[in-house]
Each structure stands twice: as C-alpha cells, then as structure tokens.
Amino acid sequence: MTHALPNADAQAAPAITFDQFLAVDIRVGTIVAAEPFPEARKPAVKLEIDFGPAIGVKRSSAQITEHYDPATLVGRQVAAVVNFPPRQIGKYMSEVLTLGFPDANGAVVMFAPDQPVANGARLF
C-alpha cells in the first residue's frame, strides 16, 4: 500500500487522543518473500511479511525500489500497519502498509527496529 504523506517541512498533524493512536495497529514482521512488481504504476516491490501466529503472513506492495533490491530483503524486519483495509494495486492485493520515511530525494527508507524483536510485536 502506498499513500501520499506530508514532507519533513510540513506542520505537525492535528493533536489526537491516545485511544486514536492505539487504533492504528503497527506491528513488526519479517520479510519472507520479495519480488519486483513491474506492473505497478510507480516502481514497487511485492512483499510477503510474517507477523507471527496471531496475524500470519500478509502481502504488501511497497515503493522501495530506490534503496532496496528484492534479492536482499528476505529475513529483514519491517514495521507495517496491519489493520487498514486491503487495497488493490493493479492485479495485486496489498494487505498491510509497510512504513518508511522519505530520504532527501523523497525515496522511501523503510522503518525497522534496530534490534531483532518477535514477529507481531506491536509498536507502543
């Protein structure tokens, strides 16, 4: 899943409650499969991410081609929103939103823990 988000120079979003934050379910998972997605409108990679036994393996279309080669992604942990509705990207159903930040040129740098954690661990 991909969504247009504000850049680093944008004002902070309006204040939300802690309960609103908790409504966004952000989990860590391990990439178990990655392949190019040449049919996508914008360059992307098809990911399969293991979020542990409670959530399972979910699919994601991620616009990460600038910094990541699909051949090097398997085994890497990433963070994703797991409770958005699935989104059809061409003929591919993206089930989770893989998270990242823009680099100086706007290319996605994936968001991941700096130490291994259990698949399915929730961000708090």
Side-chain angles (χ1 to χ4, degrees), residues 5-6 24 31 42 52 59 66 70 77 88 93-94 97 103 113 121:
L5 297 176
V24 180
I31 297 172
K42 295 182 180 179
R59 300 173 359 149
E66 196 70 30
Q77 287 197 300
Q88 190 75 42
M93 183 63 72
S94 188
L97 174 64
D103 69 7

Side-chain angles (χ1 to χ4, degrees), residues 42-67:
K42 295 182 180 179
V45 176
K46 294 178 187 177
L47 301 174
E48 291 185 21
I49 306 167
D50 181 0
F51 292 98
I55 295 173
V57 175
K58 299 293 182 180
R59 300 173 359 149
S60 182
S61 171
Q63 294 176 0
I64 57 173
T65 58
E66 196 70 30
H67 292 296

Side-chain angles (χ1 to χ4, degrees), residues 1-4 31 33-49 51 58-71 73 76-81 87-90 92-101 106-111:
M1 276 187 211
T2 57
H3 298 274
I31 297 172
E35 64 181 74
F37 188 12
E39 305 86 7
R41 249 184 295 136
K42 295 182 180 179
V45 176
K46 294 178 187 177
L47 301 174
E48 291 185 21
I49 306 167
F51 292 98
K58 299 293 182 180
R59 300 173 359 149
S60 182
S61 171
Q63 294 176 0
I64 57 173
T65 58
E66 196 70 30
H67 292 296
Y68 305 97
D69 178 348
L73 291 172
R76 182 183 188 112
Q77 287 197 300
V78 295
V81 176
R87 185 170 174 180
Q88 190 75 42
I89 310 291
Y92 187 76
M93 183 63 72
S94 188
E95 300 172 298
V96 299
L97 174 64
T98 303
L99 299 176
F101 294 98
V108 177
V109 175
M110 289 191 296
F111 181 60

